[in-house]
Short mmCIF file of all heavy atoms in Angstrom, two decimals:
data_model
loop_
_atom_site.label_atom_id
_atom_site.label_comp_id
_atom_site.label_asym_id
_atom_site.label_seq_id
_atom_site.Cartn_x
_atom_site.Cartn_y
_atom_site.Cartn_z
N ASP A 1 18.40 -19.80 -25.17
CA ASP A 1 17.94 -20.47 -26.39
C ASP A 1 16.90 -19.65 -27.12
O ASP A 1 15.70 -19.71 -26.76
CB ASP A 1 17.35 -21.85 -26.02
CG ASP A 1 17.16 -22.80 -27.19
OD1 ASP A 1 16.97 -22.30 -28.32
OD2 ASP A 1 17.23 -24.01 -26.98
N ASN A 2 17.30 -18.90 -28.05
CA ASN A 2 16.36 -17.93 -28.74
C ASN A 2 15.38 -18.75 -29.64
O ASN A 2 14.26 -18.30 -29.69
CB ASN A 2 17.22 -16.96 -29.67
CG ASN A 2 17.95 -15.97 -28.89
OD1 ASN A 2 17.38 -15.10 -28.26
ND2 ASN A 2 19.34 -16.12 -28.89
N LYS A 3 15.80 -19.83 -30.18
CA LYS A 3 14.89 -20.63 -31.01
C LYS A 3 13.75 -21.20 -30.15
O LYS A 3 12.55 -21.17 -30.45
CB LYS A 3 15.63 -21.75 -31.65
CG LYS A 3 14.72 -22.63 -32.58
CD LYS A 3 15.50 -23.69 -33.31
CE LYS A 3 14.57 -24.57 -34.15
NZ LYS A 3 15.34 -25.60 -34.76
N LYS A 4 14.12 -21.70 -28.99
CA LYS A 4 13.12 -22.30 -28.00
C LYS A 4 12.19 -21.19 -27.53
O LYS A 4 11.00 -21.39 -27.40
CB LYS A 4 13.86 -22.87 -26.82
CG LYS A 4 12.88 -23.62 -25.89
CD LYS A 4 13.80 -24.26 -24.75
CE LYS A 4 12.98 -25.06 -23.79
NZ LYS A 4 13.81 -25.74 -22.75
N ALA A 5 12.74 -20.07 -27.27
CA ALA A 5 11.93 -18.88 -26.82
C ALA A 5 10.77 -18.52 -27.79
O ALA A 5 9.65 -18.14 -27.41
CB ALA A 5 12.70 -17.70 -26.53
N LYS A 6 11.07 -18.72 -29.09
CA LYS A 6 10.09 -18.35 -30.15
C LYS A 6 9.07 -19.52 -30.40
O LYS A 6 8.02 -19.24 -30.97
CB LYS A 6 10.86 -18.01 -31.45
CG LYS A 6 11.66 -16.79 -31.39
CD LYS A 6 12.51 -16.56 -32.66
CE LYS A 6 13.33 -15.31 -32.57
NZ LYS A 6 14.16 -15.13 -33.84
N THR A 7 9.50 -20.73 -30.00
CA THR A 7 8.61 -21.84 -30.37
C THR A 7 8.04 -22.59 -29.13
O THR A 7 7.22 -23.51 -29.35
CB THR A 7 9.44 -22.85 -31.17
OG1 THR A 7 10.55 -23.27 -30.40
CG2 THR A 7 9.94 -22.26 -32.47
N VAL A 8 8.33 -22.21 -27.93
CA VAL A 8 7.91 -22.94 -26.74
C VAL A 8 6.35 -22.91 -26.72
O VAL A 8 5.76 -21.89 -26.99
CB VAL A 8 8.46 -22.29 -25.44
CG1 VAL A 8 7.96 -20.82 -25.27
CG2 VAL A 8 8.27 -23.15 -24.27
N GLN A 9 5.87 -24.07 -26.26
CA GLN A 9 4.39 -24.17 -26.24
C GLN A 9 3.80 -23.93 -24.88
O GLN A 9 4.50 -24.08 -23.90
CB GLN A 9 4.02 -25.65 -26.64
CG GLN A 9 4.44 -26.01 -28.11
CD GLN A 9 3.69 -25.22 -29.16
OE1 GLN A 9 2.44 -25.19 -29.10
NE2 GLN A 9 4.43 -24.66 -30.09
N LYS A 10 2.61 -23.54 -24.88
CA LYS A 10 1.87 -23.28 -23.60
C LYS A 10 1.87 -24.53 -22.81
O LYS A 10 1.56 -25.60 -23.32
CB LYS A 10 0.43 -22.79 -23.87
CG LYS A 10 -0.30 -22.28 -22.66
CD LYS A 10 -1.63 -21.65 -23.02
CE LYS A 10 -2.41 -21.14 -21.83
NZ LYS A 10 -3.73 -20.55 -22.15
N GLY A 11 2.15 -24.43 -21.49
CA GLY A 11 2.13 -25.59 -20.65
C GLY A 11 3.48 -26.28 -20.52
O GLY A 11 3.65 -27.30 -19.87
N TYR A 12 4.50 -25.63 -21.17
CA TYR A 12 5.86 -26.12 -21.09
C TYR A 12 6.38 -26.19 -19.64
O TYR A 12 6.14 -25.36 -18.85
CB TYR A 12 6.79 -25.28 -21.93
CG TYR A 12 8.25 -25.48 -21.63
CD1 TYR A 12 8.91 -26.66 -22.19
CD2 TYR A 12 9.07 -24.72 -20.82
CE1 TYR A 12 10.21 -26.89 -21.93
CE2 TYR A 12 10.32 -24.98 -20.60
CZ TYR A 12 10.96 -26.00 -21.09
OH TYR A 12 12.28 -26.39 -20.78
N LEU A 13 7.11 -27.30 -19.34
CA LEU A 13 7.71 -27.52 -18.04
C LEU A 13 9.13 -27.90 -18.22
O LEU A 13 9.49 -28.76 -19.07
CB LEU A 13 6.98 -28.59 -17.20
CG LEU A 13 5.52 -28.35 -16.81
CD1 LEU A 13 4.93 -29.65 -16.24
CD2 LEU A 13 5.44 -27.17 -15.82
N PRO A 14 10.09 -27.28 -17.48
CA PRO A 14 11.54 -27.66 -17.60
C PRO A 14 11.79 -29.02 -17.26
O PRO A 14 11.29 -29.53 -16.23
CB PRO A 14 12.21 -26.64 -16.61
CG PRO A 14 11.22 -25.51 -16.47
CD PRO A 14 9.86 -26.16 -16.50
N ASN A 15 12.67 -29.74 -18.04
CA ASN A 15 13.22 -31.07 -17.71
C ASN A 15 14.67 -30.83 -17.36
O ASN A 15 15.48 -30.59 -18.20
CB ASN A 15 13.07 -31.94 -18.90
CG ASN A 15 13.57 -33.35 -18.57
OD1 ASN A 15 14.73 -33.53 -18.03
ND2 ASN A 15 12.85 -34.37 -18.94
N LEU A 16 14.99 -30.90 -16.11
CA LEU A 16 16.28 -30.40 -15.63
C LEU A 16 17.43 -31.28 -16.13
O LEU A 16 18.54 -30.79 -16.44
CB LEU A 16 16.31 -30.34 -14.07
CG LEU A 16 15.41 -29.27 -13.49
CD1 LEU A 16 15.55 -29.27 -11.94
CD2 LEU A 16 15.61 -27.98 -14.05
N ASN A 17 17.22 -32.64 -16.25
CA ASN A 17 18.33 -33.44 -16.80
C ASN A 17 18.58 -33.17 -18.30
O ASN A 17 19.69 -33.17 -18.75
CB ASN A 17 17.98 -34.89 -16.61
CG ASN A 17 18.35 -35.39 -15.13
OD1 ASN A 17 19.19 -34.77 -14.44
ND2 ASN A 17 17.69 -36.44 -14.68
N SER A 18 17.52 -32.89 -18.99
CA SER A 18 17.71 -32.48 -20.39
C SER A 18 18.36 -31.10 -20.50
O SER A 18 19.32 -30.97 -21.37
CB SER A 18 16.34 -32.41 -21.12
OG SER A 18 16.48 -31.94 -22.46
N LEU A 19 18.09 -30.20 -19.60
CA LEU A 19 18.77 -28.91 -19.62
C LEU A 19 20.23 -29.03 -19.24
O LEU A 19 21.09 -28.35 -19.70
CB LEU A 19 18.03 -27.96 -18.62
CG LEU A 19 16.65 -27.48 -19.03
CD1 LEU A 19 16.02 -26.74 -17.84
CD2 LEU A 19 16.78 -26.62 -20.21
N TYR A 20 20.53 -29.97 -18.36
CA TYR A 20 21.94 -30.20 -17.93
C TYR A 20 22.83 -30.56 -19.11
O TYR A 20 23.91 -30.15 -19.25
CB TYR A 20 21.97 -31.23 -16.85
CG TYR A 20 23.46 -31.35 -16.24
CD1 TYR A 20 23.85 -30.56 -15.17
CD2 TYR A 20 24.21 -32.36 -16.73
CE1 TYR A 20 25.08 -30.76 -14.63
CE2 TYR A 20 25.53 -32.50 -16.19
CZ TYR A 20 25.96 -31.71 -15.20
OH TYR A 20 27.20 -31.81 -14.63
N LYS A 21 22.24 -31.43 -19.96
CA LYS A 21 22.93 -31.87 -21.08
C LYS A 21 23.09 -30.83 -22.15
O LYS A 21 24.23 -30.64 -22.71
CB LYS A 21 22.20 -33.07 -21.75
CG LYS A 21 22.89 -33.75 -22.91
CD LYS A 21 22.10 -34.94 -23.45
CE LYS A 21 22.83 -35.58 -24.61
NZ LYS A 21 22.04 -36.81 -25.11
N LYS A 22 22.07 -30.01 -22.37
CA LYS A 22 22.10 -29.01 -23.46
C LYS A 22 22.73 -27.68 -22.97
O LYS A 22 23.26 -26.97 -23.79
CB LYS A 22 20.65 -28.69 -23.90
CG LYS A 22 20.03 -29.94 -24.61
CD LYS A 22 18.60 -29.54 -25.00
CE LYS A 22 17.85 -30.62 -25.73
NZ LYS A 22 16.45 -30.38 -26.01
N LYS A 23 22.59 -27.38 -21.69
CA LYS A 23 23.14 -26.10 -21.17
C LYS A 23 22.56 -24.91 -21.90
O LYS A 23 23.16 -23.89 -22.07
CB LYS A 23 24.65 -26.04 -21.22
CG LYS A 23 25.33 -27.11 -20.35
CD LYS A 23 25.12 -26.95 -18.89
CE LYS A 23 26.03 -27.74 -17.98
NZ LYS A 23 25.91 -29.24 -18.24
N LYS A 24 21.31 -25.03 -22.38
CA LYS A 24 20.62 -23.94 -23.09
C LYS A 24 19.20 -23.93 -22.60
O LYS A 24 18.60 -25.01 -22.36
CB LYS A 24 20.65 -24.15 -24.62
CG LYS A 24 22.01 -23.99 -25.23
CD LYS A 24 21.88 -24.32 -26.74
CE LYS A 24 21.13 -23.17 -27.46
NZ LYS A 24 21.15 -23.36 -28.96
N GLY A 25 18.59 -22.72 -22.50
CA GLY A 25 17.23 -22.67 -22.11
C GLY A 25 16.69 -21.27 -22.14
O GLY A 25 17.34 -20.29 -22.44
N ILE A 26 15.45 -21.19 -21.72
CA ILE A 26 14.72 -19.86 -21.67
C ILE A 26 14.68 -19.44 -20.16
O ILE A 26 15.21 -20.16 -19.30
CB ILE A 26 13.25 -19.94 -22.30
CG1 ILE A 26 12.44 -20.96 -21.51
CG2 ILE A 26 13.30 -20.18 -23.75
CD1 ILE A 26 11.05 -21.11 -21.95
N CYS A 27 14.10 -18.26 -19.92
CA CYS A 27 14.23 -17.73 -18.57
C CYS A 27 13.55 -18.69 -17.51
O CYS A 27 14.10 -18.81 -16.38
CB CYS A 27 13.51 -16.34 -18.49
SG CYS A 27 11.78 -16.37 -18.95
N PHE A 28 12.56 -19.36 -17.88
CA PHE A 28 11.93 -20.31 -17.00
C PHE A 28 12.92 -21.46 -16.63
O PHE A 28 12.93 -21.91 -15.51
CB PHE A 28 10.63 -20.94 -17.74
CG PHE A 28 9.77 -21.75 -16.89
CD1 PHE A 28 9.95 -21.98 -15.57
CD2 PHE A 28 8.68 -22.41 -17.48
CE1 PHE A 28 9.11 -22.77 -14.80
CE2 PHE A 28 7.86 -23.28 -16.76
CZ PHE A 28 8.08 -23.39 -15.41
N ASP A 29 13.67 -21.89 -17.69
CA ASP A 29 14.68 -22.95 -17.43
C ASP A 29 15.81 -22.42 -16.46
O ASP A 29 16.14 -23.17 -15.56
CB ASP A 29 15.31 -23.37 -18.75
CG ASP A 29 14.34 -23.99 -19.73
OD1 ASP A 29 13.45 -24.68 -19.27
OD2 ASP A 29 14.45 -23.73 -20.90
N TYR A 30 16.26 -21.20 -16.72
CA TYR A 30 17.30 -20.68 -15.75
C TYR A 30 16.75 -20.64 -14.36
O TYR A 30 17.45 -21.04 -13.45
CB TYR A 30 17.62 -19.24 -16.15
CG TYR A 30 18.66 -19.09 -17.35
CD1 TYR A 30 18.30 -19.30 -18.62
CD2 TYR A 30 19.94 -18.66 -17.01
CE1 TYR A 30 19.23 -19.14 -19.67
CE2 TYR A 30 20.90 -18.56 -18.06
CZ TYR A 30 20.51 -18.72 -19.38
OH TYR A 30 21.42 -18.57 -20.41
N ALA A 31 15.59 -20.14 -14.15
CA ALA A 31 15.03 -19.94 -12.82
C ALA A 31 14.78 -21.25 -12.17
O ALA A 31 15.05 -21.49 -10.97
CB ALA A 31 13.77 -19.16 -12.87
N ALA A 32 14.21 -22.27 -12.95
CA ALA A 32 13.91 -23.56 -12.33
C ALA A 32 15.17 -24.31 -11.95
O ALA A 32 15.30 -24.96 -10.96
CB ALA A 32 13.08 -24.36 -13.32
N THR A 33 16.23 -24.16 -12.80
CA THR A 33 17.54 -24.79 -12.57
C THR A 33 18.10 -24.25 -11.26
O THR A 33 18.51 -25.04 -10.34
CB THR A 33 18.51 -24.56 -13.74
OG1 THR A 33 18.04 -25.19 -14.81
CG2 THR A 33 19.85 -25.05 -13.36
N MET A 34 18.19 -22.98 -11.15
CA MET A 34 18.84 -22.40 -9.97
C MET A 34 17.94 -22.70 -8.68
O MET A 34 18.50 -22.99 -7.65
CB MET A 34 19.05 -20.86 -10.07
CG MET A 34 19.98 -20.30 -9.13
SD MET A 34 20.49 -18.67 -9.50
CE MET A 34 21.35 -18.25 -7.98
N THR A 35 16.65 -22.65 -8.86
CA THR A 35 15.78 -22.97 -7.67
C THR A 35 15.97 -24.36 -7.29
O THR A 35 16.18 -24.58 -5.99
CB THR A 35 14.32 -22.74 -8.13
OG1 THR A 35 14.11 -21.31 -8.47
CG2 THR A 35 13.42 -23.03 -6.94
N ALA A 36 16.04 -25.28 -8.08
CA ALA A 36 16.32 -26.71 -7.74
C ALA A 36 17.59 -26.91 -7.11
O ALA A 36 17.72 -27.57 -6.04
CB ALA A 36 16.13 -27.64 -9.02
N MET A 37 18.66 -26.34 -7.60
CA MET A 37 20.00 -26.41 -7.04
C MET A 37 19.99 -25.88 -5.58
O MET A 37 20.58 -26.43 -4.72
CB MET A 37 21.02 -25.70 -7.90
CG MET A 37 21.18 -26.40 -9.27
SD MET A 37 22.32 -25.56 -10.42
CE MET A 37 23.95 -26.02 -9.71
N LEU A 38 19.39 -24.74 -5.43
CA LEU A 38 19.49 -24.06 -4.09
C LEU A 38 18.59 -24.84 -3.12
O LEU A 38 19.02 -25.07 -1.96
CB LEU A 38 19.01 -22.61 -4.18
CG LEU A 38 20.13 -21.70 -4.78
CD1 LEU A 38 19.53 -20.34 -5.16
CD2 LEU A 38 21.31 -21.58 -3.84
N ARG A 39 17.36 -25.23 -3.49
CA ARG A 39 16.56 -26.01 -2.58
C ARG A 39 17.23 -27.31 -2.16
O ARG A 39 17.01 -27.72 -1.05
CB ARG A 39 15.17 -26.21 -3.25
CG ARG A 39 14.29 -25.03 -3.39
CD ARG A 39 12.93 -25.40 -3.99
NE ARG A 39 12.12 -24.18 -4.13
CZ ARG A 39 10.89 -24.17 -4.64
NH1 ARG A 39 10.31 -25.20 -4.97
NH2 ARG A 39 10.33 -22.95 -4.79
N SER A 40 17.92 -27.91 -3.12
CA SER A 40 18.52 -29.19 -2.71
C SER A 40 19.68 -29.01 -1.75
O SER A 40 20.15 -29.96 -1.15
CB SER A 40 19.08 -29.86 -3.96
OG SER A 40 20.21 -29.18 -4.46
N GLN A 41 20.09 -27.71 -1.53
CA GLN A 41 21.17 -27.43 -0.56
C GLN A 41 20.54 -26.76 0.66
O GLN A 41 21.25 -26.09 1.45
CB GLN A 41 22.20 -26.56 -1.23
CG GLN A 41 23.11 -27.26 -2.16
CD GLN A 41 23.80 -28.40 -1.48
OE1 GLN A 41 24.51 -28.20 -0.47
NE2 GLN A 41 23.71 -29.60 -2.05
N GLY A 42 19.22 -26.87 0.80
CA GLY A 42 18.48 -26.41 1.95
C GLY A 42 18.33 -24.92 2.00
O GLY A 42 17.97 -24.35 3.11
N VAL A 43 18.40 -24.21 0.89
CA VAL A 43 18.24 -22.75 0.82
C VAL A 43 16.83 -22.44 0.30
O VAL A 43 16.51 -22.78 -0.81
CB VAL A 43 19.32 -22.03 -0.14
CG1 VAL A 43 19.06 -20.53 -0.15
CG2 VAL A 43 20.72 -22.43 0.36
#
């Protein structure tokens, strides 16, 4: 999400259910998504 990357505010935290619906995000969103998915599978 290039627009989000340019406008994201300090203190931003990923909302995973919102990201699931949009399927768009910045690097923080990608990393948080994959981390949550793997941790939930015991990795």
Side-chain angles (χ1 to χ4, degrees):
D1 193 333
N2 289 290
K3 182 179 179 181
K4 186 176 183 178
K6 294 176 182 178
T7 58
V8 65
Q9 298 295 308
K10 190 175 182 180
Y12 166 76
L13 295 171
N15 181 313
L16 295 185
N17 278 336
S18 176
L19 289 171
Y20 185 86
K21 183 177 180 180
K22 295 178 180 178
K23 297 296 194 299
K24 291 178 69 175
I26 58 176
C27 60
F28 189 6
D29 296 324
Y30 276 77
T33 295
M34 195 170 170
T35 299
M37 292 177 79
L38 286 168
R39 288 184 184 180
S40 73
Q41 287 301 305
V43 181

